[in-house]
């Protein structure tokens, strides 16, 4: 096992200001020390927040990101700051969800990526958003995301 090259990182280990918008948030990557081996990386953000673009009211989601890395891994502090940047950003659920996935695909060029965004209801209905780059490669252990469909009291 070799030491991970962190020389290109600007946020990890440093005090940084939280980004004010997802478009300006800096996502960083590190070399994948296991490039050539297919495995799944999962990030779960159980308290994701954005704003309704019409009312300015907060919207909440449980987001699960799964990806099979190629040459790069996302640096987790930069991912946390990126997701935090949505707290004061007005966008519909679908836009937030797919934008997150596409930014990661652009940065990492993973072998495969999917997002499951399980939004809590406002106005009576939950809106869940699912997107993936393609079918996952065969032979990779890919656990279910494990988030139950919203049932309310029923």
């Amino acid at each position: 096992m070799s030491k991970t090259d962190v020389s290109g990182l600007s946020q990890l280990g440093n005090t940084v200001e939280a980004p004010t918008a997802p478009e300006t948030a800096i996502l960083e990557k590190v070399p994948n020390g296991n490039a050539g081996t297919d495995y799944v990386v999962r990030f779960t953000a159980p308290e994701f927040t954005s704003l309704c673009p019409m009312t300015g009211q907060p919207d909440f989601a449980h987001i699960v990101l799964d990806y099979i890395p190629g040459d790069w891994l996302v640096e987790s502090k930069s991912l946390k700051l990126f997701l935090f940047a949505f707290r004061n950003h007005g966008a519909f659920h679908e836009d937030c969800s797919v934008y997150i996935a596409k930014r990661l695909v652009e940065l990492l060029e993973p072998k495969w990526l999917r997002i499951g965004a399980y939004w809590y209801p406002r106005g009576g209905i939950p809106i869940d958003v699912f997107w993936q780059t393609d079918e996952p490669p065969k032979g990779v252990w890919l656990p279910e995301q494990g988030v139950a469909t919203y049932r309310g009291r029923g």
Side-chain angles (χ1 to χ4, degrees):
M1 183 166 68
S2 62
K3 185 176 179 183
T4 302
D5 178 9
V6 295
S7 62
L9 300 179
S10 64
Q11 299 176 99
L12 185 63
N14 295 309
T15 301
V16 295
E17 294 291 322
T20 58
E23 299 83 6
T24 59
I26 299 168
L27 275 168
E28 296 184 319
K29 60 187 178 182
V30 295
N32 177 7
N34 291 289
T37 301
D38 287 346
Y39 63 97
V40 176
V41 176
R42 173 170 288 171
F43 285 97
T44 304
E47 298 177 354
F48 179 83
T49 307
S50 68
L51 298 178
C52 172
M54 297 299 292
T55 66
Q57 295 296 306
D59 287 324
F60 305 102
H62 180 114
I63 293 180
V64 181
L65 287 159
D66 293 319
Y67 74 99
I68 298 173
D71 292 332
W72 301 101
L73 301 169
V74 66
E75 191 285 307
S76 62
K77 180 178 181 179
S78 75
L79 179 62
K80 291 175 203 171
L81 290 168
F82 170 62
L83 296 176
F84 182 84
F86 284 87
R87 286 186 171 274
N88 293 310
H89 179 75
F92 289 117
H93 300 163
E94 299 87 346
D95 189 29
C96 288
S97 305
V98 175
Y99 180 78
I100 290 166
K102 286 185 173 182
R103 277 283 305 269
L104 287 168
V105 168
E106 180 182 335
L107 174 75
L108 302 173
E109 299 178 12
K111 292 183 179 180
W112 175 83
L113 181 141
R114 77 172 172 189
I115 186 170
Y118 304 85
W119 292 85
Y120 293 95
R122 277 196 342 103
I125 59 170
I127 301 171
D128 296 336
V129 180
F130 307 100
W131 184 83
Q132 66 182 20
T133 56
D134 201 349
E135 293 293 320
K138 300 238 184 285
V140 174
W141 179 44
L142 184 60
E144 292 297 319
Q145 292 193 336
V147 181
T149 301
Y150 183 79
R151 291 180 31 114
R153 291 200 220 172

